[in-house]
Amino acid sequence: MKFIKKIVRNEKGATAIEYGLIAALIAVAAITAMQSLGNNLSSTFTKVSNNMTATA
C-alpha cells in the first residue's frame, strides 16, 4: 500500500515530461521564426544581386 501512495505522490516524471514539452514547443517556434527570417533574407539578397547586375 505504501508503494502505491509513493507512486501517486511522485511527480518527478510528470515534471520532466512537462519540461520536455515546453522545450519542444520553444524549438518549433524558433525553427519557424528562423525559416521565415531565412526566406526574407534570401529574397533581399536576390533583389540586391539583381539590382547590382542590372547597373553593371
Side-chain angles (χ1 to χ4, degrees):
M1 193 66 168
K2 288 182 181 180
F3 179 71
I4 294 172
K5 288 181 182 180
K6 185 177 179 181
I7 290 175
V8 171
R9 279 190 249 147
N10 186 359
E11 296 182 4
K12 290 180 183 177
T15 303
I17 291 171
E18 290 169 358
Y19 284 136
L21 290 173
I22 291 169
L25 181 63
I26 291 171
V28 168
I31 289 169
T32 303
M34 289 179 197
Q35 282 180 334
S36 176
L37 179 64
N39 290 338
N40 290 340
L41 282 174
S42 177
S43 175
T44 300
F45 282 121
T46 300
K47 288 178 186 176
V48 170
S49 176
N50 290 340
N51 287 338
M52 290 178 70
T53 304
T55 58

